[in-house]
Amino acid sequence: MRASARIAATLLSAAAVLIAAPLIGIGATATTPATIAPAGTELPGYLEVTWDPAFGTEFTRITKPGMLGAGIVCREAYCSHRYSSAQAWNADQSLLVLSNGCDGMCFFDGQTYKPLFRRTRSTECEWHPEDSERMICVGGQSIFTWAPRTNREEILFVSTDHHEFQFGPYKGNPSRDGHRVAVRAMRDGGGQVVFAFDLATRKKFPDIELSQLPGTNNACAISPLGLNILCLQETADGIDQAYVFAIDGTLKQRWSEHHRPGHGDMTVDSDGSEVYVGISKSDPDKYQIIKRRLSDGVVTPLMRYGEAQHVTLRAIRRPGWAIVSYAGDPAEVSRHPGWAPFSREVVALRLDGSGEVRRIVQTHNVPFDYWSETHASPSPDASQIIWSSNWDNPGGPVLEFVSRLDWPTKLGASPAGDIGK
């Protein structure tokens, strides 16, 4: 990049710190920063490093329609990472995986984003949180680990009386240490169940009968400490409820309100309790970001009413922060000073209830369909955030971008004074 351009980017970064430095509280008023109109920015070139003009954040466009190399070909419509709450990077961030719109699981260098290789799999796999060479996979009647580079598998468990194993489906993660997973399955002879499995001891825990719960199961996932299983059920009248079971099958909580919360993720809070963080769609905190404790269902509001779309806690080595994707129309949001002032933006939000945020990047992502949703997701240490955008072209190609962030050395420390840098 030319020296003059680098100087300009540095000045923009400094200006962004002054714009974004005030903290946003739950009860904040219009005196706090307002919605920032999208800055006019042309679509960056493929693998071109650029800077967000509003916040000064460095980011890189990492896909384009068509051939990328190493056998990886992106669809014209979209080419993206799987989901906000799915980890895209392996444990040491040497590999990055995209799995939407590239005919399989497509692996890239986790730092330069150059295409490396493609694998075709019919099973669901998620990165092991500690072993950078392995993914944890389920499918058919088996649970196994898989090394994408070498394409080698190690079978850990094969059932003789279950089939249709699923990892979630699509919303499951292993426990924080990678020892336990929750597997949804069909029991031979009928009946949908979920059970916990310990990869280290190769122990299967008791079946939990899902077919006895009201409605249809959407997904189940093991909790971060591997002690509980959270299941999401949709009732016949369209209410999305949640159930929390101990891994022995004991029912601990039933959250009967619609999506309170939903579109979220789980983590361990600062007091050691497991929480689910997401977007509420029920009173008294409708369309606020909340966290809810798995042990007793206590709710803590984290950010006021707004256009938040997805919450992720995949930054497991950056405790205390969630990454939030905001949609909406900036013009509409700016007319409501009582709303959270974020639109078409990715922010980091503190989980302590203070309402502190770090504004990361404007996405230029115009709402259009599911595949074009931003679905921002962080690397394990939150030094990188991957996100999708149609770049102000509804119905146009959905492309992938990665923002890079600097954080204080002390994990969980406030980035105040370094916002957007």
Side-chain angles (χ1 to χ4, degrees):
M1 187 176 186
R2 293 178 302 170
S4 59
R6 289 188 180 275
I7 293 171
T10 301
L11 293 174
L12 284 170
S13 180
V17 170
L18 294 176
I19 293 171
L23 305 181
I24 313 296
I26 300 291
T29 68
T31 59
T32 55
T35 303
I36 299 176
T41 305
E42 292 184 1
L43 173 65
Y46 173 58
L47 293 183
E48 176 183 312
V49 178
T50 188
W51 279 261
D52 180 89
F55 308 127
T57 316
E58 176 187 317
F59 69 98
T60 303
R61 174 184 160 197
I62 69 168
T63 65
K64 62 179 180 179
M67 297 185 64
L68 300 186
I72 297 174
V73 180
C74 279
R75 292 183 190 174
E76 180 70 27
Y78 60 88
C79 189
S80 61
H81 62 291
R82 190 173 63 73
Y83 190 61
S84 55
S85 61
Q87 179 54 261
W89 279 270
N90 64 345
D92 65 5
Q93 298 182 208
S94 60
L95 288 176
L96 170 68
V97 63
L98 306 186
S99 54
N100 296 331
C102 66
D103 192 25
M105 300 183 74
C106 300
F107 293 86
F108 297 74
D109 186 290
Q111 302 296 321
T112 67
Y113 320 122
K114 292 183 178 179
L116 297 179
F117 58 92
R118 181 178 65 86
R119 300 282 187 246
T120 301
R121 297 203 66 87
S122 59
T123 53
E124 295 178 65
C125 301
E126 299 290 345
W127 285 116
H128 192 289
E130 294 185 352
D131 186 340
S132 60
E133 292 302 313
R134 292 194 300 165
M135 301 188 88
I136 302 169
C137 306
V138 306
Q141 296 174 280
S142 303
I143 302 171
F144 56 98
T145 60
W146 171 55
R149 292 183 195 270
T150 62
N151 211 19
R152 295 185 62 182
E153 296 180 356
E154 181 184 2
I155 302 295
L156 303 178
F157 175 74
V158 178
S159 176
T160 58
D161 52 8
H162 297 75
H163 59 282
E164 294 184 31
F165 279 16
Q166 292 183 298
F167 204 154
Y170 308 117
K171 292 187 178 181
N173 282 299
S175 58
R176 192 168 57 175
D177 59 9
H179 287 177
R180 291 180 178 175
V181 295
V183 178
R184 197 178 77 173
M186 295 298 296
R187 192 155 47 199
D188 291 353
Q192 189 178 58
V193 301
V194 65
F195 60 85
F197 180 80
D198 192 297
L199 282 70
T201 63
R202 303 197 180 190
K203 176 183 177 181
K204 175 189 175 297
F205 288 84
D207 287 349
I208 300 170
E209 299 283 352
L210 296 176
S211 54
Q212 295 184 5
L213 300 178
T216 303
N217 182 259
N218 286 328
C220 291
I222 199 79
S223 66
L225 298 179
L227 303 176
N228 300 290
I229 295 176
L230 175 71
C231 289
L232 306 176
Q233 293 280 130
E234 183 178 357
T235 65
D237 53 354
I239 304 300
D240 289 300
Q241 301 182 340
Y243 292 79
V244 180
F245 296 93
I247 56 174
D248 66 2
T250 303
L251 178 61
K252 299 177 69 173
Q253 286 282 302
R254 178 187 177 184
W255 302 340
S256 58
E257 312 98 319
H258 179 57
H259 265 290
R260 192 166 184 252
H263 297 292
D265 200 356
M266 288 184 281
T267 191
V268 180
D269 214 350
S270 58
D271 63 358
S273 60
E274 295 179 310
V275 294
Y276 181 44
V277 182
I279 301 154
S280 174
K281 294 186 180 180
S282 293
D283 293 328
D285 37 45
K286 194 170 186 179
Y287 298 120
Q288 296 180 33
I289 298 173
I290 64 173
K291 67 179 176 182
R292 194 160 190 176
R293 207 156 51 203
L294 299 190
S295 61
D296 56 13
V298 169
V299 171
T300 302
L302 300 178
M303 179 52 65
R304 62 188 187 271
Y305 186 106
E307 296 285 352
Q309 194 169 37
H310 294 282
V311 176
T312 176
L313 297 159
R314 288 305 88 205
I316 59 176
R317 299 194 186 98
R318 179 62 58 184
W321 292 89
I323 302 300
V324 185
S325 303
Y326 276 87
D329 181 352
E332 171 69 13
V333 173
S334 67
R335 291 195 290 269
H336 299 275
W339 291 11
F342 315 117
S343 179
R344 299 178 194 171
E345 187 173 335
V346 176
V347 308
L349 171 65
R350 264 202 187 276
L351 300 179
D352 60 4
S354 66
E356 181 180 343
V357 298
R358 181 178 184 180
R359 304 181 83 158
I360 296 171
V361 69
Q362 292 186 327
T363 65
H364 296 269
N365 194 31
V366 180
F368 181 72
D369 61 10
Y370 172 80
W371 295 109
S372 64
E373 292 178 6
T374 298
H375 286 150
S377 187
S379 63
D381 65 359
S383 64
Q384 302 183 84
I385 314 288
I386 192 167
W387 45 279
S388 305
S389 175
N390 55 29
W391 209 264
D392 300 318
N393 181 18
V398 177
L399 307 165
E400 283 285 271
F401 301 82
V402 175
S403 294
R404 287 186 175 269
L405 301 179
D406 292 325
W407 292 86
T409 302
K410 183 179 178 181
L411 291 179
S414 171
D418 191 30
I419 295 174
K421 187 175 179 182

